[in-house]
Amino acid sequence: MGENSRNGGIGSSLEPAVAKVAEAVQVAKDLVMNKKSEVVLFSSTAIALYGYDQGMMSLINTNYDYLETLQITETDPLVAVIVAVYYLGCAAGSVLASLLADKKGRKTSIFVCLATTALGNFIMFISGLGGWNGPAAIATMITGRTIMGLGVGGIDAVIPVYSSELNEEGGRGRALAQEFQANILGLNMAFLINILLTRALGKNSQWAWRTPIIAMQIYPVLLMSFIYRLPESPRWHMSHEQDDKAKQALKEIYNDEDAEYAFEKLETSRKEEESEPVTYVEMLFPWGSQYHPTMVTIWGQINQALTGVGAISVYGPQLFELLGFGVEEAEDITIGNYVLYFFMMTFAWLLIDKLGRRKLMLSTSAVMTGTFVLLTIFGALVMEPAIDVPKAPFAILGVICLYVYTSAFGIGWLAEPWLIPTELYPSPARAKGAAISVVVWGFANFAITFLTPILFNNLSYWIFLIFAFTNAFAGWWTWAFSPETGGRTFEENAQFFTDAKEHNTWQVRKVNNGEFRGLPKGEKSGEIGEETPLLRGSR
């Protein structure tokens, strides 16, 4: 009896401790696998598709069997065309996906884009398989890359919108920067797979270039099987008079009390927007209400392309060969550059909401301009036979410059041009604005990736000086015309364009005494509504 009593006493004394442990485990589970975490994980994996393609093509372009299958040489302009046509597909896909996202929902659009990506990737894989070489293989590869571009372009247009609509205020930049860090993880994965297969099988093996292509299928297949777990944007439901579904989606995100409050705010927002439909005409022509934010969006993507990152990512090994390194040495240096790129992206999501988008873009633009000026000098010292100096030290300095450039781009220019368009527009224009962003990105990167090998072959190291000038221009334009969108509600960002019209200027420093040159001062109210994305922790 006494023993049972003692056992009962011990059990009773352990109950509070066990309850606390169970509560701690549940809290940890909620933090790790709540809907916000699932959305970020899903979005990050989807964005990784673009990075994977860059890493994949950088070594496929130099595979001897690939070139023989297409019956082209490494310096043939068709190499650049095959790489670049993907971006045209991205441009078209972004428009189609944004229309589908507005009509049928963000999730439906994303699913269709993933399926399209998988189809295009498979067509690329079978190009020339079984011995049908030459023009037929080229046509198949171009078709596959175009179709895959349709899918990836759509993903790049819709995912930032979906993510920003489902992320807490003050953390929009962090979330998207984390997603783009996954983009660089995809780049690293593809390049590493390429290197390992190339060295194991040789550049004459078709499986050294086909395997990295088909391995990409894991991304869309996994994402299509996972997307059912995620909520549709409650804002999209509300805009289509699907109030019950909006309430259900909100309950997946919040507790019941917060879900009801969020629904009330969305109702108010819907009433305000009912009389304000936005068309592409209003966004693309000077008399339109959304022309000014659209120009900020367009030039943001043009300037990102002008930084030269497409050349560095797709033609990395060739760039290091310009500095005098052998093929395998250039490949090893390239993977080192990509790994550093990935880890330096951590600073992007740590700093983007604390320092603001503008400060990061301006400071890193100055760094990138300087690195390309130095690369021009080091390239001349390494490549000019008439300059009698030891080559190796300057080649190493050139590598360091390219490493610094890539790190600076990752911190200041990778995520920001994608993030800013999602913060400038009212809800009826947000998906369209993201689509315009991808269209411009697609055409700009088509031009860069098409011209880069031609410039390599004709200008040698002088290509670095061209990128120095383009980076300087990108920095100046950002300083003059791109407002700081971080730390502000969507409505406050929209107010900048209203005020700019009243001041009759687009120069940031002249609107409201330069208020939008940096982050706002003071605390934010943090209300839930049009101005606040819809994935917050429960209060």
Side-chain angles (χ1 to χ4, degrees), residues 226-287:
F226 184 80
I227 194 171
Y228 78 94
R229 290 179 52 87
L230 303 180
E232 179 57 86
S233 168
R235 285 182 181 163
W236 182 84
H237 281 312
M238 293 292 286
S239 68
H240 287 72
E241 306 296 332
Q242 299 174 2
D243 291 15
D244 290 341
K245 290 183 178 180
K247 288 180 181 178
Q248 184 60 42
L250 288 167
K251 287 178 180 178
E252 291 186 53
I253 301 168
Y254 305 105
N255 60 38
D256 289 343
E257 181 182 349
D258 285 349
E260 186 62 33
Y261 178 67
F263 181 79
E264 291 172 2
K265 296 296 293 183
L266 282 176
E267 275 193 310
T268 301
S269 175
R270 179 174 61 185
K271 291 175 183 177
E272 293 173 351
E273 292 173 354
E274 281 176 348
S275 60
E276 301 177 10
V278 179
T279 65
Y280 278 113
V281 171
E282 291 181 83
M283 301 173 78
L284 294 171
F285 292 92
W287 58 82

Side-chain angles (χ1 to χ4, degrees), residues 320-349:
F320 289 113
E321 287 178 40
L322 271 181
L323 293 171
F325 293 96
V327 174
E328 286 201 3
E329 286 179 319
E331 291 170 354
D332 290 339
I333 294 168
T334 300
I335 193 63
N337 190 30
Y338 292 163
V339 170
L340 179 65
Y341 191 6
F342 172 77
F343 284 108
M344 292 303 289
M345 273 297 297
T346 304
F347 289 100
W349 56 262

Side-chain angles (χ1 to χ4, degrees), residues 421-494:
T422 70
E423 301 177 310
L424 297 178
Y425 295 101
S427 288
R430 196 166 295 129
K432 294 182 179 70
I436 291 170
S437 179
V438 179
V439 168
V440 177
W441 166 82
F443 280 109
N445 278 280
F446 172 85
I448 293 295
T449 53
F450 178 75
L451 292 174
T452 293
I454 298 172
L455 294 175
F456 279 162
N457 295 331
N458 291 280
L459 297 180
S460 186
Y461 60 85
W462 289 108
I463 190 174
F464 297 133
L465 189 60
I466 291 175
F467 284 135
F469 280 112
T470 56
N471 273 275
F473 173 83
W476 168 81
W477 196 97
T478 301
W479 171 81
F481 302 113
S482 185
E484 176 56 64
T485 56
R488 292 182 169 91
T489 64
F490 294 153
E491 287 182 343
E492 288 170 337
N493 286 329

Side-chain angles (χ1 to χ4, degrees), residues 36-47:
K36 175 181 177 181
S37 300
E38 290 181 9
V39 168
V40 171
L41 177 62
F42 178 88
S43 301
S44 299
T45 308
I47 292 294

